[in-house]
Amino acid sequence: IQVKCHSYADVQMDILEADLGADLPTYVDLIALVRSKIVPYVPPPLTPADIVTAMDSLFNETAQAKHYDNRITCALRAGYPGPFQAEGQAFAIWMDTCNDVAYTMLAEVSAGTRPMPATIDEALALLPVFTAWAV
């Protein structure tokens, strides 16, 4: 006697069917019942906090790509004359522009004149791309 012991998620019915092989006809009705109960996952809507968190990550990753600790240490350079001031200024201007775009978008969402982006990627795509590192 061969005993198979495996668990299947509701969305793995194709795998279960293949594993059942010749015994599949015995379980067709049960598998159909399971398939009829599958409800696709719908992610919760984005919140302003989700967008702020994603933007903070974007700012930090951008600054870290230029070997700064984070967005704060990069933007801080804008206020001090020296070899990194131009980089800090460019970064700070970009970061402020991104924040302005995001706050405007969120105000429009609150006013009901535009929908909330469906995903973080969709929200971040609204922001300008940073391309202005000083050499």
PDB file of all heavy atoms in Angstrom, residues 71-84:
ATOM      1  N   ARG A  71      18.728  59.476   4.189  1.00  0.00           N
ATOM      2  CA  ARG A  71      18.227  60.716   3.577  1.00  0.00           C
ATOM      3  C   ARG A  71      18.595  61.940   4.400  1.00  0.00           C
ATOM      4  O   ARG A  71      18.845  63.011   3.848  1.00  0.00           O
ATOM      5  CB  ARG A  71      16.716  60.624   3.372  1.00  0.00           C
ATOM      6  CG  ARG A  71      15.914  60.589   4.647  1.00  0.00           C
ATOM      7  CD  ARG A  71      14.438  60.218   4.404  1.00  0.00           C
ATOM      8  NE  ARG A  71      13.642  60.329   5.599  1.00  0.00           N
ATOM      9  CZ  ARG A  71      13.615  59.442   6.587  1.00  0.00           C
ATOM     10  NH1 ARG A  71      14.387  58.369   6.532  1.00  0.00           N
ATOM     11  NH2 ARG A  71      12.841  59.632   7.633  1.00  0.00           N
ATOM     12  N   ILE A  72      18.648  61.787   5.709  1.00  0.00           N
ATOM     13  CA  ILE A  72      18.915  62.941   6.573  1.00  0.00           C
ATOM     14  C   ILE A  72      20.357  63.403   6.429  1.00  0.00           C
ATOM     15  O   ILE A  72      20.613  64.598   6.250  1.00  0.00           O
ATOM     16  CB  ILE A  72      18.563  62.593   8.036  1.00  0.00           C
ATOM     17  CG1 ILE A  72      17.059  62.328   8.142  1.00  0.00           C
ATOM     18  CG2 ILE A  72      18.985  63.710   8.982  1.00  0.00           C
ATOM     19  CD1 ILE A  72      16.612  61.672   9.421  1.00  0.00           C
ATOM     20  N   THR A  73      21.305  62.472   6.482  1.00  0.00           N
ATOM     21  CA  THR A  73      22.704  62.881   6.365  1.00  0.00           C
ATOM     22  C   THR A  73      23.003  63.430   4.976  1.00  0.00           C
ATOM     23  O   THR A  73      23.841  64.321   4.834  1.00  0.00           O
ATOM     24  CB  THR A  73      23.671  61.732   6.691  1.00  0.00           C
ATOM     25  OG1 THR A  73      23.401  60.626   5.834  1.00  0.00           O
ATOM     26  CG2 THR A  73      23.541  61.304   8.141  1.00  0.00           C
ATOM     27  N   CYS A  74      22.289  62.934   3.979  1.00  0.00           N
ATOM     28  CA  CYS A  74      22.499  63.454   2.622  1.00  0.00           C
ATOM     29  C   CYS A  74      21.959  64.879   2.503  1.00  0.00           C
ATOM     30  O   CYS A  74      22.659  65.782   2.047  1.00  0.00           O
ATOM     31  CB  CYS A  74      21.820  62.533   1.613  1.00  0.00           C
ATOM     32  SG  CYS A  74      22.117  63.013  -0.092  1.00  0.00           S
ATOM     33  N   ALA A  75      20.717  65.086   2.928  1.00  0.00           N
ATOM     34  CA  ALA A  75      20.104  66.419   2.821  1.00  0.00           C
ATOM     35  C   ALA A  75      20.812  67.431   3.721  1.00  0.00           C
ATOM     36  O   ALA A  75      20.884  68.619   3.393  1.00  0.00           O
ATOM     37  CB  ALA A  75      18.620  66.335   3.179  1.00  0.00           C
ATOM     38  N   LEU A  76      21.367  66.973   4.819  1.00  0.00           N
ATOM     39  CA  LEU A  76      22.083  67.845   5.749  1.00  0.00           C
ATOM     40  C   LEU A  76      23.259  68.551   5.069  1.00  0.00           C
ATOM     41  O   LEU A  76      23.577  69.698   5.372  1.00  0.00           O
ATOM     42  CB  LEU A  76      22.593  67.003   6.926  1.00  0.00           C
ATOM     43  CG  LEU A  76      23.364  67.714   8.014  1.00  0.00           C
ATOM     44  CD1 LEU A  76      22.408  68.613   8.800  1.00  0.00           C
ATOM     45  CD2 LEU A  76      24.029  66.700   8.931  1.00  0.00           C
ATOM     46  N   ARG A  77      23.880  67.860   4.103  1.00  0.00           N
ATOM     47  CA  ARG A  77      25.028  68.441   3.406  1.00  0.00           C
ATOM     48  C   ARG A  77      24.660  69.736   2.690  1.00  0.00           C
ATOM     49  O   ARG A  77      25.518  70.583   2.435  1.00  0.00           O
ATOM     50  CB  ARG A  77      25.607  67.460   2.375  1.00  0.00           C
ATOM     51  CG  ARG A  77      26.008  66.104   2.881  1.00  0.00           C
ATOM     52  CD  ARG A  77      26.984  65.995   4.056  1.00  0.00           C
ATOM     53  NE  ARG A  77      27.855  67.066   4.387  1.00  0.00           N
ATOM     54  CZ  ARG A  77      28.104  67.465   5.637  1.00  0.00           C
ATOM     55  NH1 ARG A  77      27.538  66.870   6.652  1.00  0.00           N
ATOM     56  NH2 ARG A  77      28.924  68.438   5.868  1.00  0.00           N
ATOM     57  N   ALA A  78      23.375  69.919   2.339  1.00  0.00           N
ATOM     58  CA  ALA A  78      22.941  71.118   1.614  1.00  0.00           C
ATOM     59  C   ALA A  78      23.249  72.398   2.379  1.00  0.00           C
ATOM     60  O   ALA A  78      23.498  73.447   1.787  1.00  0.00           O
ATOM     61  CB  ALA A  78      21.444  71.041   1.316  1.00  0.00           C
ATOM     62  N   GLY A  79      23.262  72.323   3.705  1.00  0.00           N
ATOM     63  CA  GLY A  79      23.446  73.530   4.513  1.00  0.00           C
ATOM     64  C   GLY A  79      24.869  73.889   4.844  1.00  0.00           C
ATOM     65  O   GLY A  79      25.101  74.891   5.517  1.00  0.00           O
ATOM     66  N   TYR A  80      25.829  73.101   4.368  1.00  0.00           N
ATOM     67  CA  TYR A  80      27.209  73.336   4.748  1.00  0.00           C
ATOM     68  C   TYR A  80      28.103  73.456   3.526  1.00  0.00           C
ATOM     69  O   TYR A  80      28.171  72.549   2.698  1.00  0.00           O
ATOM     70  CB  TYR A  80      27.716  72.190   5.635  1.00  0.00           C
ATOM     71  CG  TYR A  80      26.953  72.119   6.927  1.00  0.00           C
ATOM     72  CD1 TYR A  80      25.863  71.270   7.053  1.00  0.00           C
ATOM     73  CD2 TYR A  80      27.294  72.946   7.995  1.00  0.00           C
ATOM     74  CE1 TYR A  80      25.135  71.232   8.228  1.00  0.00           C
ATOM     75  CE2 TYR A  80      26.570  72.912   9.166  1.00  0.00           C
ATOM     76  CZ  TYR A  80      25.490  72.055   9.287  1.00  0.00           C
ATOM     77  OH  TYR A  80      24.771  72.027  10.442  1.00  0.00           O
ATOM     78  N   PRO A  81      28.810  74.591   3.409  1.00  0.00           N
ATOM     79  CA  PRO A  81      29.719  74.748   2.274  1.00  0.00           C
ATOM     80  C   PRO A  81      30.790  73.643   2.300  1.00  0.00           C
ATOM     81  O   PRO A  81      31.264  73.257   3.359  1.00  0.00           O
ATOM     82  CB  PRO A  81      30.372  76.114   2.511  1.00  0.00           C
ATOM     83  CG  PRO A  81      29.453  76.832   3.454  1.00  0.00           C
ATOM     84  CD  PRO A  81      28.797  75.771   4.283  1.00  0.00           C
ATOM     85  N   GLY A  82      31.076  73.140   1.144  1.00  0.00           N
ATOM     86  CA  GLY A  82      32.096  72.107   1.065  1.00  0.00           C
ATOM     87  C   GLY A  82      31.870  71.235  -0.154  1.00  0.00           C
ATOM     88  O   GLY A  82      30.984  71.504  -0.981  1.00  0.00           O
ATOM     89  N   PRO A  83      32.627  70.171  -0.269  1.00  0.00           N
ATOM     90  CA  PRO A  83      32.596  69.350  -1.480  1.00  0.00           C
ATOM     91  C   PRO A  83      31.285  68.585  -1.681  1.00  0.00           C
ATOM     92  O   PRO A  83      31.012  68.136  -2.788  1.00  0.00           O
ATOM     93  CB  PRO A  83      33.772  68.388  -1.291  1.00  0.00           C
ATOM     94  CG  PRO A  83      34.023  68.349   0.175  1.00  0.00           C
ATOM     95  CD  PRO A  83      33.623  69.694   0.706  1.00  0.00           C
ATOM     96  N   PHE A  84      30.460  68.456  -0.636  1.00  0.00           N
ATOM     97  CA  PHE A  84      29.223  67.688  -0.757  1.00  0.00           C
ATOM     98  C   PHE A  84      27.967  68.552  -0.738  1.00  0.00           C
ATOM     99  O   PHE A  84      26.853  68.039  -0.784  1.00  0.00           O
ATOM    100  CB  PHE A  84      29.143  66.638   0.357  1.00  0.00           C
ATOM    101  CG  PHE A  84      30.346  65.735   0.398  1.00  0.00           C
ATOM    102  CD1 PHE A  84      31.292  65.869   1.396  1.00  0.00           C
ATOM    103  CD2 PHE A  84      30.538  64.781  -0.596  1.00  0.00           C
ATOM    104  CE1 PHE A  84      32.407  65.046   1.415  1.00  0.00           C
ATOM    105  CE2 PHE A  84      31.656  63.955  -0.577  1.00  0.00           C
ATOM    106  CZ  PHE A  84      32.592  64.097   0.434  1.00  0.00           C
TER     107      PHE A  84
END
